[in-house]
Amino acid sequence: MIEISHVNKWYSPTFQVLTDCTTSVTKGEVVVVCGPSGSGKSTLIKCVNALEPFQEGDISVDGTKVNDPKTNLPKLRSRVGMVFQHFELFPHLKIIDNLCLAQQKVLDRSRDKAVAKAEQLLERVGLKEQAQKFPAQLSGGQQQRVAIARALAMDPIVMLFDEPTSALDPEMVSEVLDVMVDLAHEGMTMMVVTHEMGFARKVANRVIFMDRGEIVEDADKEDFFGKPRSDRAQKFLSKILSH
Amino acid sequence: MNYHWNWGIFFEPNPMGTGTYLDMLLSGLALTLKTAVLAWIIALIFGSIVGVMRTLPSRAAYWFGFCWVEFFRNMPLLVQLFLWFFVLPELLPKAAGTWLKQLPNAPFWTAAIGVGFFMSARVAVQLQAGIGSLPRGQKMAATALGLTTMQGYRYVLLPMAFRIILPPLTSEFLNTIKNTAVAITIGLLELTGQARSMQEFSFQVFEAFTAATLIYLLVNAVVVTSMRFLERYVAIPGYITGK
């Protein structure tokens, strides 16, 4: 589904953020990307739907090359759902309109169809009563669930999560993770940047560990949590699992 | 000072045979309002386009916006009006220049367009700041949903940016109204111009300019009040100073 091969990215000639990153996500797979801050995980996931450009290498999604200038990027992006650390709901639109905007403007769905789809998804994330509210009237956890529903409204073939729980108060983390776990169980293809190792343990198929722009470890979940091969991954795990 | 006050002067007939001196001032007010409204529309349209261009990734768009703003804001308004009114017709081919000079209402159009372009530079800079103040993730979220750059601005960035800059835009609207007074120098008989002719005909300089001052104050009070209503009307529930 996602093929990433030999991706190199520089912010400036002397500052390389991604170094020779190669990995893949197959259909129905859940891949967790973790690593210390500044290791390039968010950058890598943003390269997948071309929110960030990269200078070398190739990324393709469902056979479509992301870095090909001929690719219709808006069309490709409309099939790749993305959830951000800071939710990024559109503050001037009601919850229902946050879910309908792209359905109507990008997928050309009728208002009725879009609303029906939106209501069905809001119901699914447990927020149907909030449809007529504005984002600022919701808690962080609710906003992030709306953001997930907004991405799902586009019927994506794959979902990207960029630290979806990092900006949440602790007691709101689980309501968001629950939605993501359900999604994984339904067979959604997911690439998730997160530090939630409990989530990784529960639903991930593979874990990628990044450090200083490189993919240091790319292993099945059992191998990763059993005995990571690299020192750096071991150190990282010992730090975040000790509490 | 040996000044002969005469507040009744407003109800005495003016020497042009167009009614009283008050009628003269009111016709000036009408022209001031017409010029200001047209100039403000021009400022909003061009300011929005140029302001957006200054936030686009394209270097060419950025430089066009940069040049526009620096050209129109770095020259005194008076010099600009003289340029459009006296210099431009001479620079054009003879036929075009003559045609331009013979246009009916030339002072009106020159004033509206001249003040409009001058103010557009200020609107552009404020809109650029408004867009720049939005979280970077807003544009990313719009892009990730498959919205094109145009759609992202139209439905996501601009509705928020304009709400944010509404208070300073009010000041710019007031400035536009006041700046039309400069057009007296190219022969536009707007409010200030009519107050001046009233003074010349009647020698009641204090009465004439007291009246003009009060009328300007009144007009601006109306604008300020209606902009307050507009601000409250578009406020977003739960957001910053929302309702």
Side-chain angles (χ1 to χ4, degrees), chain B residues 154-169:
Chain B
R154 164 73 183 77
Y155 298 111
V156 176
L157 300 181
L158 289 181
M160 281 313 292
F162 273 116
R163 279 178 171 88
I164 290 170
I165 63 167
L166 210 45
L169 273 189

Side-chain angles (χ1 to χ4, degrees), chain A residues 77 88-89 91-92 105 136 154, chain B residues 138 143-145 151 155 236 238:
Chain A
R77 289 181 181 125
E88 304 303 350
L89 296 179
H92 61 295
K105 302 299 172 194
M154 305 295 283
Chain B
Q138 287 284 298
T143 310
L145 281 166
Q151 288 174 323
Y155 298 111
I236 297 158

Side-chain angles (χ1 to χ4, degrees), chain A residues 13 21 26 34 40 52 61 65 70 88 90 110 122 126 128 130 137 141 145 150 167 170 187 190 211 224 237 241-242:
Chain A
C21 293
T26 57
C34 62
E52 292 270 4
V61 176
K65 219 165 157 192
K70 288 195 285 279
E88 304 303 350
F90 306 136
S110 70
L122 284 177
K128 202 173 177 193
Q130 320 289 343
Q137 297 173 305
R145 283 186 280 154
R150 179 175 71 178
M190 293 161 68
D211 192 18
F224 184 80
L237 273 185
L241 293 179
S242 62

Side-chain angles (χ1 to χ4, degrees), chain A residues 64-99:
Chain A
T64 310
K65 219 165 157 192
V66 171
N67 49 314
D68 186 343
K70 288 195 285 279
T71 299
N72 181 347
L73 279 179
K75 192 169 175 215
L76 177 75
R77 289 181 181 125
S78 72
R79 304 172 64 210
V80 178
M82 185 148 198
V83 176
F84 297 85
Q85 182 176 1
H86 296 287
F87 331 134
E88 304 303 350
L89 296 179
F90 306 136
H92 61 295
L93 297 179
K94 288 178 181 169
I95 300 304
I96 189 89
D97 294 320
N98 261 278
L99 269 72

Side-chain angles (χ1 to χ4, degrees), chain A residues 54-69:
Chain A
F54 50 94
Q55 286 80 22
E56 283 175 12
D58 286 310
I59 295 181
S60 67
V61 176
D62 196 28
T64 310
K65 219 165 157 192
V66 171
N67 49 314
D68 186 343

Side-chain angles (χ1 to χ4, degrees), chain B residues 92-115:
Chain B
L92 293 172
K94 203 154 189 261
T98 313
W99 173 79
L100 203 61
K101 279 189 257 185
Q102 288 170 347
L103 278 183
N105 292 333
F108 168 71
W109 294 108
T110 310
I113 295 172
V115 174

Side-chain angles (χ1 to χ4, degrees), chain A residues 105-124:
Chain A
K105 302 299 172 194
V106 179
L107 303 181
D108 278 329
R109 283 188 188 149
S110 70
R111 174 77 187 168
D112 289 349
K113 259 193 180 163
V115 169
K117 179 93 191 169
E119 282 176 345
Q120 172 207 332
L121 283 164
L122 284 177
E123 171 118 59
R124 172 173 169 176

